[in-house]
């Protein structure tokens, strides 16, 4: 399946697809935290099949990661773009 297909299957209640999305969100939290701490970017751009299908969730989970895993100076002014 494509990323968009997995997103659609999860929306239709496929438990395997939802498990894949849950795993992706967990990984996304880790990636955002590490990326912000190491590179201190101004913006993180979300794209691709998952980005198109899950943009609001990716932003929310990314913001949670910043709040819970990243020092204030590294998250100050950091935004997400779609």
């Amino acid at each position: 399946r494509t990323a968009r297909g997995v997103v659609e299957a999860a929306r239709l209640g496929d438990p395997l697809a939802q498990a894949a999305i849950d795993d992706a969100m967990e990984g996304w939290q880790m990636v955002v935290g590490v990326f912000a701490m190491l590179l201190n970017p101004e913006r993180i751009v979300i794209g691709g099949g998952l980005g198109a299908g899950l943009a609001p969730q990716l932003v929310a989970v990314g913001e949670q990661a910043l709040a819970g895993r990243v020092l204030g100076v590294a998250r100050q002014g950091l935004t997400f773009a779609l």
Side-chain angles (χ1 to χ4, degrees), residues 6 10 14-26 50 54:
V6 172
D14 183 319
L16 185 58
Q18 187 57 55
I21 298 292
D22 293 344
D23 286 348
M25 290 298 163
E26 186 176 324
L50 282 178
L54 298 172

Side-chain angles (χ1 to χ4, degrees), residues 49-64:
L50 282 178
L54 298 172
Q57 287 175 273
L58 289 167
V59 170
V61 168
E63 288 173 347
Q64 289 172 349

Side-chain angles (χ1 to χ4, degrees), residues 4 8-9 16 22 30 37 50-51 61 64-65 73-75 80:
R4 287 183 182 164
E8 185 59 29
L16 185 58
D22 293 344
M30 288 186 265
M37 292 293 292
L50 282 178
V61 168
Q64 289 172 349
V73 68
R75 69 176 182 255
F80 293 90

